[in-house]
Amino acid sequence: MGSLFRSEEMCLAQLFLQSEAAYSCVAELGELGLVQFRDLNPDVNAFQRKFVNEVRRCDEMERKLRFLEKEIHRAEISILDTGENPDAPAPREMIDLEACFEKLENEMKEVNTNQEALKRNFLELTELKHILRKTQNFFDEAGFHHQQMHDADREEESHTLLGDEGPRIGQAMRLGFVAGVIQRERIPAFEQMLWRVCRGNVFLRQTEIETPLEDPSTNDQVHKSVFIIFFQGDQLKTRVKKICEGFRATLYPCPETQAERREMAIGVMTRIEDLQAVLGQTEEHRQRVLSSAAKNVRVWFIKVGKLKAIYHTLNLFNLDVTQKCLIAECWCPVQDLDKIQMALRRGTERSGSSVPSILNRMDTTEAPPTFNKTNKFTEVFQGIVDAYGVANYREVNPAPYAIITFPFLFSVMFGDLGHGFIMFLFGLWMVLFEKKLIKLAQDDIFGMFYGGRYIIMLMGLFSMYSGFIYNDIFSKSLNIFGSAWNVSKMEWYNTTKFPPNEPMKTILDQDGLLQLDAAKCYRGTPYPFGIDPIWQISDNKLNFLNSLKMKISIIFGISQMTLGIVLSLFNHSYFKNRLNIYCEFVPQLIFLMSIFGYLVLMIFIKWFAFDAVSGKIAPSLINTLIDMFMFQAPQLKLYGGQVGIQSLLVIIAVITVPWMLFVKPFILRNEHNKRFQLAIKYRDVRMLRNGGLGDETAEVMHHDELQRQDSASSEDMMDQQTRSEPEFDFAEIFTHQAIHTIEFVLGCISHTASYLRLWALSLAHAELSEVLWDMVLGIGLTMENGFGFAIIWAGFAVWAVISVAVLIIMEGLSAFLHTLRLHWVEFQSKFFIGEGYAFKPFTFEFDTSREME
Amino acid sequence: MASTALIVIIVTAFWGVIGIILPFVVPKRPDRGIIQTMLVLTAVCCYSFWMCTFIMQLNPLFGPVLHTDVIKAIQWEWDGVDS
């Protein structure tokens, strides 16, 4: 892993691969993951590319594998995952794999069809069994009804039902019937339809089947009912049958006599038993096939994935005229060229080809991709920077500074020893158990936390440090070194509430607020590390803390912005942009320092120069700053000669604005005019010599005279000028510069104020923490009777849950977001352009770590 | 005053070791630059954080306002005064 200071140097390379060796070489390069191939056939349709057949075959194999996987899941067999990463298979292996998958797929399909047919059979037999059982009741009932009807009307059309037990009364007009099974939900509609269509001349009886039956195609459990319909005549019969068809009721031939039905039932039972045995065996066979497949499915997926990726990549290559050689163009880091050569050599050897593969560096004017070599620690910080915008090629990378400044600014906003410790433990747990947790990390939310485990750990660590400095652990302060304030040194308190010279004992016995005199009670040496613990228990804590935190925010803000401007210097000097150094970097730095650097200086002066005794005449820094801009003498002096120095600084700052605004566009215009004049002069000379206007641009490019006058750079500029920059638009450049200047000047002020969010969030966190303690745990702790024990016990649960959910997670996310904004806008706007594109190497890595779809 | 100087020297020395001396001692590995940057930045940030807090409390312009109960508690707990 290289230094992250700048992105890696990249070069465009041409690869000449022999056709047989191409596959293995690409496989090796995929394992290496260091080259990004360019598409050399962008205007070729996907279906017309050279290796489209192979890709199609791979797709087919993937489809078969997915089918197998689905079957395995359906059978609830677990897929073996050994974590091994097989190499890309050789091309001849592809045919074997294809055959194997084909065989497996066919076998599975056959087994499935057979099983379905068997199940359908089974279902029919089961339904028949139920019918045979239930229809007995129907026939009895119908006989009874028929008897009633016969008794009632005694008409000729009395019909008797067939059945040995039912009495034969009168003439029998044969009643037809159909018996079948229908889904329970359809019965009401079925009845209604029958009634309407047959005009009430049919007779339906139905009863439910208690156990649900399995539908063979969908494998769902369905509730069905047995029904029997009695009718007279053939017309009704056809109508009834059609309606049954419409409602997808299955009809079964039901014998009319009881004895026949009993025989049939016995036959059906035996057939059901046989079928069950066969079904069992089919299922066993299916499980066996799937288990043996499940052992290899993952490896196969990876192999086929790699195969497909290689052929996709091969499709990007160009075929040489001799048809024997493939040409590829790729971006690769210059540092790793020898690794790539070795990979190519390995690939050529593996394929058994004798012709070596050639890598040839090319020069190009195209912008290369931005490649930053990261390891598992730095990749999250690089990711944060890239989320805003990928850096330009070889631009200074903000990521290495963000490794520390990000957690640090977070901690300024989050500073609490207790909460920071919990966050640190969380991050540490994820880091120590990286390998085991990576399986869990496929989930979205935990995956995000897992991806940021290093940053969470660092944020927790720095928060512990800033919690130490703010002397805040779950809103309480620690008194480790002894407070710098001695309460007993006050002999009397000069307040309006108590008469002067009252002995302290009596004063203290009364209720009230007393202020310690800084001149007497302060021992002269501050609390060694952090904020004095006495402030936590004092009433005017916020007066002191606000002042401290605001000043710290400004100091850190100005420092980070200065760092940003200094980084822009590195950018300018790397890209050999001397004009920018003098016209942008220098005035920017002077502007920032003369106003805001001076503010920081004033903060320090005020801290050193004034103490408790002279504190009454200490000037307010804000008023001083305002007076500075209005060229007024400040009411309270900070140091001698202040007015003169401040006026000078303001004038310098004001001068830098037109410096930033005007100098660069005018210099650029002058340079352009000079070049243009030169071009015209030499074109005229050529004209005179050749007696006519030739190809002007060509003439200008192939001049020899210029070479002796200027260095090659001006020749390049000339070429670029006439080739790529046809015109020089002064208005556009001036507008661009104006925007840049205004953005910087106004940005300085607004960004400085924006850093005050460090104070605001830290205050909010501290106050939330204190309120939570006082309102939840404080009640129990300050109770005087034994009931307080129960309150503490219950209150701790509430306090802990709210601490974690609100103070750590919510506040943590909030501070994270604000730190992100500070980095992206306030810090990076000083030097970062971020219009590059990321380096996307051809790699197999994602294949092995992805979960199977 | 002596103890002020002592405190300043100790803390400055601590962060000075981390920020100035350790970067030279980092073994030669590809990410040496990153580790050096991290050490220096940590030292600078943490030291300046401590320093600002320390300097601000060096010459306090006003004192804490305490409740009388709190004063009595302080005398009892911190100063060991029986009352």
Side-chain angles (χ1 to χ4, degrees):
Chain A
M1 194 215 74
S3 148
L4 285 181
F5 183 58
R6 276 184 210 292
S7 66
E8 299 284 323
E9 196 183 340
M10 311 290 283
C11 69
L12 190 63
Q14 245 179 352
L15 296 175
F16 295 93
L17 307 166
Q18 203 197 13
S19 304
E20 290 115 46
Y23 179 89
S24 323
C25 288
V26 173
E28 285 291 328
L29 288 177
E31 299 285 342
L32 195 59
L34 278 176
V35 299
Q36 176 180 348
F37 288 105
R38 280 164 49 142
D39 190 358
L40 292 175
N41 315 312
D43 39 353
V44 174
N45 195 329
F47 298 105
Q48 290 163 357
R49 302 221 184 190
K50 183 164 186 279
F51 293 95
V52 69
N53 280 331
E54 279 82 0
V55 174
R56 217 177 264 150
R57 281 160 67 190
C58 290
D59 271 333
E60 201 39 47
M61 284 200 279
E62 261 189 355
R63 185 193 61 77
K64 295 194 179 119
L65 274 179
R66 278 199 296 272
F67 169 71
L68 272 175
E69 191 196 357
K70 201 166 67 120
E71 290 296 318
I72 293 178
H73 273 308
R74 212 154 60 106
E76 283 161 18
I77 302 176
S78 63
I79 295 179
L80 190 64
D81 187 353
T82 56
E84 74 167 283
N85 181 6
D87 284 334
R92 41 185 173 279
E93 240 187 272
M94 187 167 153
I95 307 178
D96 296 334
L97 280 174
E98 271 181 326
C100 175
F101 296 161
E102 179 88 27
K103 190 171 74 106
L104 272 172
E105 190 195 15
N106 286 341
E107 214 173 315
M108 280 314 300
K109 279 209 176 124
E110 224 181 284
V111 166
N112 280 347
T113 342
N114 285 347
Q115 206 179 32
E116 197 173 317
L118 285 171
K119 280 196 178 152
R120 207 173 284 284
N121 224 347
F122 184 70
L123 180 70
E124 284 174 9
L125 287 173
T126 320
E127 287 176 351
L128 191 52
K129 178 181 82 177
H130 284 294
I131 287 179
L132 290 173
R133 271 202 217 134
K134 313 262 181 208
T135 46
Q136 180 54 35
N137 300 341
F138 292 156
F139 284 126
D140 288 342
E141 268 182 44
F144 180 60
H145 259 262
H146 150 74
Q147 202 171 20
Q148 277 191 328
M149 281 196 305
H150 178 77
D151 289 339
D153 23 77
R154 291 199 182 256
E155 254 150 80
E156 274 206 12
E157 279 191 319
S158 64
H159 15 255
T160 184
L161 201 48
L162 311 147
D164 288 340
E165 296 84 43
R168 283 199 175 225
I169 301 171
Q171 280 172 305
M173 235 179 160
R174 284 200 159 244
L175 266 187
F177 69 93
V178 290
V181 171
I182 190 176
Q183 278 189 25
R184 228 180 260 178
E185 298 96 49
R186 301 212 178 123
I187 290 223
F190 187 51
E191 263 194 84
Q192 222 176 24
M193 181 68 95
L194 275 175
W195 182 262
R196 285 199 187 134
V197 171
C198 307
R199 298 199 196 109
N201 287 331
V202 298
F203 180 55
L204 166 79
R205 297 296 300 166
Q206 51 99 355
T207 172
E208 295 178 351
I209 302 179
E210 301 87 14
T211 57
L213 304 166
E214 192 185 337
D215 182 25
S217 43
T218 60
N219 286 339
D220 286 336
Q221 309 281 61
V222 195
H223 288 273
K224 294 197 174 172
S225 303
V226 171
F227 68 88
I228 188 165
I229 304 176
F230 294 101
F231 50 80
Q232 187 186 15
D234 279 332
Q235 247 195 356
L236 281 178
K237 184 174 180 181
T238 19
R239 280 192 204 165
V240 162
K241 281 215 170 132
K242 281 228 165 70
I243 295 175
C244 290
E245 248 179 71
F247 278 85
R248 282 195 235 299
T250 27
L251 296 174
Y252 292 97
C254 185
E256 299 180 10
T257 58
Q258 173 92 337
E260 281 175 17
R261 282 203 294 274
R262 241 180 288 155
E263 257 181 63
M264 198 180 205
I266 294 173
V268 163
M269 289 306 290
T270 15
R271 278 165 65 193
I272 286 183
E273 277 166 23
D274 286 340
L275 253 184
Q276 270 179 340
V278 175
L279 267 176
Q281 286 198 349
T282 319
E283 185 64 30
E284 255 179 63
H285 174 68
R286 186 163 165 266
Q287 294 281 66
R288 252 178 296 147
V289 170
L290 286 177
S291 306
S292 68
K295 292 199 199 97
N296 302 326
V297 155
R298 199 187 145 275
V299 170
W300 284 337
F301 257 120
I302 296 175
K303 283 191 174 174
V304 171
K306 287 192 178 178
L307 211 51
K308 196 162 144 189
I310 294 179
Y311 279 117
H312 265 304
T313 314
L314 285 175
N315 269 337
L316 302 174
F317 295 177
N318 247 344
L319 200 55
D320 182 30
V321 264
T322 61
Q323 300 284 338
K324 289 223 203 85
C325 170
L326 281 172
I327 308 179
E329 265 184 32
C330 62
W331 291 107
C332 48
V334 169
Q335 246 190 359
D336 298 321
L337 273 178
D338 40 353
K339 275 200 215 149
I340 298 175
Q341 298 269 32
M342 295 240 331
L344 284 175
R345 210 169 300 147
R346 275 202 304 272
T348 327
E349 276 169 37
R350 256 185 41 183
S351 72
S353 157
S354 54
V355 179
S357 315
I358 304 176
L359 186 146
N360 177 30
R361 263 182 87 158
M362 297 199 307
D363 288 324
T364 175
T365 53
E366 260 184 60
T370 311
F371 177 46
N372 285 306
K373 277 199 195 162
T374 52
N375 57 17
K376 67 184 177 189
F377 175 67
T378 54
E379 75 176 329
V380 63
F381 300 100
Q382 189 64 50
I384 285 179
V385 168
D386 284 346
Y388 184 67
V390 178
N392 276 2
Y393 177 62
R394 297 295 272 173
E395 191 181 38
V396 166
N397 185 11
Y401 316 102
I403 299 180
I404 295 292
T405 59
F406 193 98
F408 180 70
L409 288 184
F410 175 89
S411 76
V412 174
M413 292 193 254
F414 192 77
D416 186 313
L417 192 51
H419 300 145
F421 183 57
I422 294 178
M423 192 180 263
F424 172 65
L425 283 183
F426 179 53
L428 191 65
W429 167 69
M430 284 197 288
V431 167
L432 289 180
F433 292 96
E434 251 173 1
K435 302 258 172 26
K436 295 191 200 133
L437 287 176
I438 196 166
K439 299 262 167 41
L440 274 174
Q442 308 299 334
D443 176 31
D444 262 336
I445 296 191
F446 184 70
M448 272 205 301
F449 283 119
Y450 177 79
R453 56 198 183 279
Y454 285 105
I455 204 172
I456 292 180
M457 193 178 78
L458 276 181
M459 291 196 305
L461 201 55
F462 273 96
S463 298
M464 282 168 67
Y465 178 78
S466 76
F468 222 161
I469 300 266
Y470 286 151
N471 214 344
D472 187 345
I473 172 168
F474 296 122
S475 84
K476 297 293 160 203
S477 277
L478 298 170
N479 187 358
I480 305 179
F481 305 101
S483 174
W485 296 81
N486 191 338
V487 169
S488 312
K489 284 278 170 61
M490 287 288 276
E491 285 153 13
W492 71 87
Y493 293 87
N494 222 353
T495 68
T496 49
K497 186 166 175 190
F498 308 100
N501 298 335
E502 183 96 357
M504 207 167 70
K505 266 223 164 206
T506 41
I507 296 183
L508 286 183
D509 282 333
Q510 298 167 36
D511 212 14
L513 294 168
L514 302 169
Q515 180 165 29
L516 297 186
D517 189 346
K520 294 199 179 52
C521 299
Y522 172 64
R523 70 178 177 197
T525 307
Y527 190 72
F529 204 85
I531 295 182
D532 201 298
I534 203 165
W535 289 105
Q536 181 64 33
I537 45 182
S538 64
D539 254 40
N540 63 345
K541 162 176 78 151
L542 286 181
N543 286 2
F544 175 76
L545 281 184
N546 283 353
S547 169
L548 171 71
K549 288 181 180 175
M550 280 204 234
K551 289 177 180 164
I552 286 185
S553 311
I554 299 286
I555 293 175
F556 285 139
I558 306 289
S559 316
Q560 198 179 28
M561 289 202 282
T562 314
L563 177 64
I565 297 184
V566 168
L567 288 177
S568 81
L569 172 67
F570 287 121
N571 265 344
H572 296 324
S573 69
Y574 178 80
F575 291 113
K576 305 225 183 343
N577 214 334
R578 286 184 55 201
L579 189 61
N580 270 357
I581 297 182
Y582 295 126
C583 301
E584 283 187 11
F585 166 70
V586 173
Q588 279 179 351
L589 196 61
I590 293 180
F591 182 82
L592 188 67
M593 285 294 109
S594 62
I595 301 184
F596 297 100
Y598 178 64
L599 176 62
V600 170
L601 189 64
M602 279 204 294
I603 293 178
F604 278 101
I605 292 179
K606 186 171 172 193
W607 275 346
F608 279 117
F610 293 89
D611 62 0
V613 171
S614 53
K616 313 275 185 307
I617 53 165
S620 152
L621 288 175
I622 299 181
N623 290 344
T624 314
L625 203 59
I626 295 175
D627 289 335
M628 173 173 157
F629 275 102
M630 309 228 285
F631 288 100
Q632 271 178 14
Q635 285 170 334
L636 295 169
K637 229 171 45 151
L638 198 57
Y639 56 90
Q642 190 178 0
V643 180
I645 296 184
Q646 282 182 186
S647 314
L648 184 63
L649 286 174
V650 173
I651 293 176
I652 292 179
V654 170
I655 288 179
T656 58
V657 176
W659 183 354
M660 279 190 264
L661 184 58
F662 291 112
V663 178
K664 182 170 160 192
F666 279 106
I667 292 189
L668 282 177
R669 195 174 80 133
N670 283 348
E671 278 182 7
H672 164 80
N673 284 346
K674 257 195 289 182
R675 288 202 298 272
F676 200 58
Q677 295 299 333
L678 221 48
I680 293 185
K681 189 160 98 172
Y682 282 100
R683 189 197 67 187
D684 290 342
V685 168
R686 280 276 184 193
M687 260 174 67
L688 281 178
R689 213 178 291 155
N690 300 343
L693 277 176
D695 182 9
E696 280 165 26
T697 34
E699 292 291 275
V700 168
M701 278 205 304
H702 298 303
H703 51 259
D704 303 324
E705 284 83 51
L706 269 190
Q707 269 178 4
R708 79 173 145 75
Q709 177 175 37
D710 284 337
S711 57
S713 63
S714 92
E715 178 181 329
D716 285 345
M717 282 202 304
M718 192 66 126
D719 294 355
Q720 269 177 357
Q721 182 76 38
T722 44
R723 243 184 302 161
S724 57
E725 245 184 81
E727 67 219 43
F728 175 83
D729 192 353
F730 181 69
E732 194 187 313
I733 297 216
F734 189 76
T735 320
H736 185 83
Q737 194 65 22
I739 294 176
H740 197 75
T741 308
I742 296 176
E743 203 183 359
F744 178 78
V745 171
L746 292 182
C748 260
I749 305 172
S750 84
H751 293 168
T752 308
S754 177
Y755 272 100
L756 284 173
R757 69 187 70 221
L758 294 174
W759 156 64
L761 261 88
S762 146
L763 177 67
H765 188 95
E767 287 299 295
L768 267 177
S769 185
E770 192 175 320
V771 162
L772 183 64
W773 179 282
D774 288 342
M775 297 283 154
V776 180
L777 273 183
I779 300 183
L781 286 170
T782 51
M783 256 191 181
E784 284 172 359
N785 52 23
F787 193 47
F789 165 73
I791 301 274
I792 295 179
W793 179 78
F796 179 76
V798 175
W799 177 84
V801 167
I802 296 185
S803 269
V804 171
V806 172
L807 285 173
I808 297 183
I809 297 183
M810 192 192 82
E811 278 281 317
L813 283 175
S814 162
F816 183 90
L817 185 73
H818 282 285
T819 315
L820 204 58
R821 178 253 156 71
L822 280 179
H823 275 78
W824 281 354
V825 178
E826 274 79 14
F827 175 51
Q828 287 181 197
S829 67
K830 301 288 178 285
F831 68 98
F832 190 66
I833 302 188
E835 284 167 1
Y837 63 104
F839 177 64
K840 287 202 178 23
F842 171 62
T843 172
F844 292 136
E845 263 175 38
F846 70 97
D847 273 340
T848 56
S849 63
R850 74 164 179 202
E851 275 287 296
M852 301 204 251
E853 305 104 61
Chain B
M1 279 306 118
S3 47
T4 311
L6 189 64
I7 297 170
V8 171
I9 289 177
I10 293 178
V11 179
T12 311
F14 176 71
W15 288 116
V17 164
I18 293 187
I20 303 181
I21 306 206
L22 275 193
F24 288 106
V25 177
V26 176
K28 288 241 181 326
R29 19 184 312 188
D31 46 1
R32 187 168 190 240
I34 301 279
I35 299 186
Q36 285 173 329
T37 314
M38 281 172 68
L39 284 170
V40 171
L41 269 177
T42 311
V44 166
C45 290
C46 294
Y47 180 65
S48 54
F49 201 7
W50 169 85
M51 190 182 66
C52 291
T53 320
F54 189 79
I55 293 179
M56 171 139 191
Q57 297 184 105
L58 203 51
N59 302 316
L61 298 181
F62 58 91
V65 169
L66 300 167
H67 202 263
T68 41
D69 290 340
V70 173
I71 296 181
K72 283 200 278 192
I74 292 176
Q75 285 184 323
W76 173 269
E77 297 274 354
W78 291 354
D79 302 341
V81 173
D82 302 325
S83 52

